[in-house]
């Protein structure tokens, strides 16, 4: 069983399109995240949700809109895709009550904008 | 200044060598510390937590110096399978009582036969 699963794994699309990436975790964790890893391999947090409530929203263009229908799911919708959006997007989850809680990552969704 | 800084490497070492990675963090509200490992085209995975007293897990030893805001990872008797990127990770306590996890850019290690 995959603990954190995200789909699709690969996404190739044209500039200006709208796309979504879905994420689900079966660990019973309270907190879910979206991270972006660019071509320089720098992993940067985008959003964090705790029990469906947004708790971290870094400086991300408002073309990016996360949605959490329940605490096991956190989807990422991207409008009007730009070349600079090309990256690997990782979903992750953790048990927020524990400050030392491990982050469990999905396998990543590689987005290529042409 | 980046919140978490690491030497990007790459470190090229022969099998059996001992290699050390360093990491510094800038936010004094940093509460907990970790090393993650990321293989090429894979997701990051927790390698070990870092405790103030220092801790060891097999060939891996992690150290934390809060006064200097410095974290280290020592790998002894390197194996080919240790080749990966090692990410220094810091949890920062927020005013809301929650925390934010910040990743360093990673240090690449290549272990050669």
């Amino acid at each position: 069983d995959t603990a954190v699963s995200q789909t699709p794994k690969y996404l190739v699309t044209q500039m200006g399109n709208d796309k979504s990436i879905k994420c689900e975790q079966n660990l019973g964790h309270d907190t879910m995240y979206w991270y972006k890893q660019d071509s320089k391999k720098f992993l940067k947090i985008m959003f964090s949700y705790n029990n469906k409530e947004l708790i971290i929203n870094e400086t991300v263009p408002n073309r990016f809109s996360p949605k959490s229908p329940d605490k096991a799911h956190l989807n990422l919708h991207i409008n009007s895709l730009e070349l600079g959006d090309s990256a690997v997007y990782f979903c992750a989850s953790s048990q927020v009550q524990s400050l030392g809680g491990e982050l469990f990552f999905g396998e990543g969704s590689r987005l290529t904008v042409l | 200044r980046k919140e978490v800084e690491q030497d990007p490497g790459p470190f090229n070492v022969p099998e059996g060598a001992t290699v050390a990675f360093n990491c510094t963090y800038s936010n004094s509200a940093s509460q907990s510390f970790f090393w993650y490992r990321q293989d090429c085209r894979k997701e990051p995975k927790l390698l070990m937590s870092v405790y103030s007293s220092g801790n060891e897990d097999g060939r891996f030893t992690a150290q934390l110096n809060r006064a200097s805001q410095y974290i280290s990872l020592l790998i002894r008797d390197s194996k080919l399978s240790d080749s990966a990127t090692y990410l220094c990770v810091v949890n920062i306590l927020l005013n809301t009582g929650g925390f934010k996890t910040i990743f360093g850019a990673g240090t690449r290690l290549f272990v050669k036969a």
Side-chain angles (χ1 to χ4, degrees), chain A residues 39-111:
Chain A
S39 57
K40 295 183 180 178
K41 307 301 181 186
F42 189 51
L43 198 64
K44 188 170 181 181
I45 190 167
M46 300 173 68
F47 302 101
S48 172
Y49 269 74
N50 181 33
N51 274 322
K52 301 193 298 176
E53 182 183 342
L54 180 66
I55 56 173
I56 292 175
N57 183 356
E58 291 296 293
T59 307
V60 175
N62 58 15
R63 298 181 295 104
F64 291 78
S65 51
K67 281 190 172 51
S68 182
D70 55 62
K71 76 173 194 176
H73 295 83
L74 180 62
N75 304 322
L76 183 66
H77 188 75
I78 315 170
N79 288 327
S80 304
L81 279 156
E82 300 178 357
L83 293 176
D85 298 333
S86 295
V88 181
Y89 292 85
F90 285 101
C91 177
S93 73
S94 71
Q95 190 60 275
V96 73
Q97 278 79 10
S98 170
L99 192 59
E102 177 181 354
L103 279 177
F104 291 83
F105 284 87
E107 293 183 323
S109 296
R110 185 174 293 273
L111 172 65

